[in-house]
Amino acid sequence: MDQQDETIHVPVLRAEVIAALAPSESGVFADGTLGGGGHARALAEAVGPRGCVVAVDRDPAAVARASELLRGLPVRVVHANYADLPEVLDSEGIEFVDGILLDLGLSSDQLADRQRGFSFGLDGPLDLRFDPTGGEPATRLVNRLSEQHLAELIWAFGEERFSKRIARAIVEYRQRKTIETSGELAEVVRRSVPRPPHGERIDPATRTFQALRIAVNQELKWLDVALRRLPDRLRPGGRMAIISFHSLEDRRVKEAFRDDARLEVLTRKPIIASGQELAVNPRARSAKLRVAARRS
C-alpha cells in the first residue's frame, strides 16, 4: 500500500461510540463522517457479513483511502455530504437504519496534508475545503471580505475575542501582499494578538482557522440540516451518536436532541475521552459524544 493510501487518523471515543450505538449482527448503520474509516470498521466488524454500514464523506481523498482500507468488509462507501444521507440511503435501497454516527472533527489525515492548509504548522495553500472539487477556498475569503465581515466571521465561528484586531491586521497585510498560505495567515494572526500566557497549549491562530474552515465548508448549516433530516431514517429504537469538538457544534446537538419530539436523549451529560485515551490521542481532549434514540 502506498503511503498516501494509509491513514494516520485515530478514531476518538471508539469504544464509547460502539457501546452507544450497540451494533449487533446483521444490523444496518450509517457513518456520515467516514474520515480514516476507524469507526466504520468497528461498526462493520460488529454487524458482520449479513449487516451493512453505509459510510459517506465530503472529502474525496478520504473516500478513496477508506475504500481501500475497508475492502472486504460490509461497508458501502459514498462521496457525499452527511446531510444528504437520506438520498444516499435511498440509492442503496435502505429505508431505515439501526444507528447513525457523525464525528464532526477534522481528521489527522487532513491535518497532515500540506496541500489542504488545515494545519498552520505545515505551510501550504490556504484552502480549508473538505471537498476541493467545489466551493470557495479560504484564501479567497481572507483576501475578499471587508474588515467588518472578517471580524464578524471570526467572532461568530471562532469565538475569538480578538476578532476585530485580527481582521484589521489581515486587511493591512493584504494591502501589501495577497495572503496565499496557511503559514502566512497564521503569522499575521499571531502578530496581531497578545502573547498567550506561559503554558497555553492553544496556538493563537487556532480559532481564526476554525472560523474560516467552518465558513468555507458551511459546517454549521449542514449540521442543522442533518439534525432535522436524519432522525426520520432511524428505525424505532435506533440511535444517533454525534461527536462534536467545540461549543458551537455541541450546543446545536444538545438543543436539537432535547427539542426533537422524535428523539429520547440518552446522555444527560456528554461522554468525554478517558484519561487512558487522552494519553495516546491528545486530540480527543475536546471531543464530546451525545446520544439519542428514536422513539417508538
Side-chain angles (χ1 to χ4, degrees):
M1 181 179 290
D2 294 335
Q3 182 66 32
Q4 63 267 29
D5 293 329
E6 298 176 354
T7 181
I8 60 173
H9 185 67
V10 179
V12 301
L13 299 170
R14 173 171 166 156
E16 290 82 354
V17 163
I18 297 304
L21 291 177
S24 57
E25 192 172 355
S26 74
V28 180
F29 289 81
D31 182 347
T33 44
L34 174 61
H39 289 124
R41 174 178 292 277
L43 288 169
E45 291 171 347
V47 301
R50 292 190 297 171
C52 174
V53 177
V54 177
V56 307
D57 204 286
R58 295 174 67 180
D59 187 339
V63 169
R65 184 185 303 112
S67 295
E68 289 299 316
L69 293 172
L70 299 172
R71 188 180 297 277
L73 290 170
V75 182
R76 306 177 194 178
V77 177
V78 181
H79 178 215
N81 187 323
Y82 61 69
D84 294 327
L85 262 173
E87 287 75 19
V88 173
L89 293 175
D90 288 343
S91 70
E92 297 291 336
I94 298 171
E95 184 174 7
F96 298 110
V97 296
D98 298 298
I100 297 172
L101 169 66
L102 300 181
D103 175 356
L104 304 175
L106 196 65
S107 81
S108 299
D109 298 319
Q110 290 168 325
L111 283 166
D113 187 343
R114 187 183 297 271
Q115 297 304 310
R116 307 291 290 277
F118 289 112
S119 173
F120 34 80
L122 297 173
D123 194 24
L126 183 62
D127 193 306
L128 301 184
R129 288 174 294 174
F130 291 146
D131 185 352
T133 66
E136 184 177 38
T139 184
R140 291 186 191 172
L141 283 185
V142 297
N143 289 294
R144 173 174 59 79
L145 296 183
S146 68
E147 180 179 329
Q148 180 180 349
H149 195 168
L150 277 171
E152 291 173 351
L153 185 154
I154 294 168
W155 167 251
F157 295 155
E159 300 179 300
E160 170 58 73
R161 61 194 178 104
F162 297 111
S163 58
K164 291 182 179 179
R165 190 181 299 190
I166 292 168
R168 189 179 312 120
I170 289 173
V171 170
E172 290 175 355
Y173 184 90
R174 75 190 192 194
Q175 289 172 350
R176 304 190 302 273
K177 181 186 180 302
T178 299
I179 297 174
E180 298 175 346
T181 72
S182 55
E184 202 172 4
L185 176 62
E187 276 307 305
V188 172
V189 175
R190 291 174 187 136
R191 289 200 301 265
S192 65
V193 301
R195 185 182 298 275
H198 181 70
E200 174 67 65
R201 293 185 300 175
I202 300 178
D203 189 289
T206 299
R207 294 183 179 89
T208 297
F209 270 72
Q210 172 186 299
L212 288 170
R213 194 199 77 217
I214 289 173
V216 164
N217 296 291
Q218 301 182 70
E219 294 177 43
L220 299 181
K221 168 192 169 181
W222 293 123
L223 176 58
D224 287 341
V225 171
L227 288 167
R228 289 196 304 270
R229 302 190 74 203
L230 300 191
D232 281 338
R233 303 311 291 260
L234 286 171
R235 71 176 76 256
R239 296 181 175 186
M240 178 178 288
I242 301 182
I243 303 172
S244 63
F245 286 82
H246 54 76
S247 60
L248 296 174
E249 294 170 340
D250 182 57
R251 191 180 307 123
R252 277 172 160 77
V253 175
K254 177 183 177 180
E255 293 175 354
F257 281 2
R258 181 194 65 200
D259 299 338
D260 194 326
R262 296 167 295 181
L263 299 174
E264 177 186 356
V265 176
L266 301 183
T267 47
R268 188 174 62 85
K269 292 184 177 180
I271 298 169
I272 61 175
S274 66
Q276 183 178 4
E277 178 172 0
L278 291 176
V280 296
N281 187 15
R283 286 180 180 161
R285 67 180 180 271
S286 55
K288 293 182 177 180
L289 169 65
R290 293 187 185 271
V291 187
R294 179 69 192 266
R295 296 182 187 276
S296 301

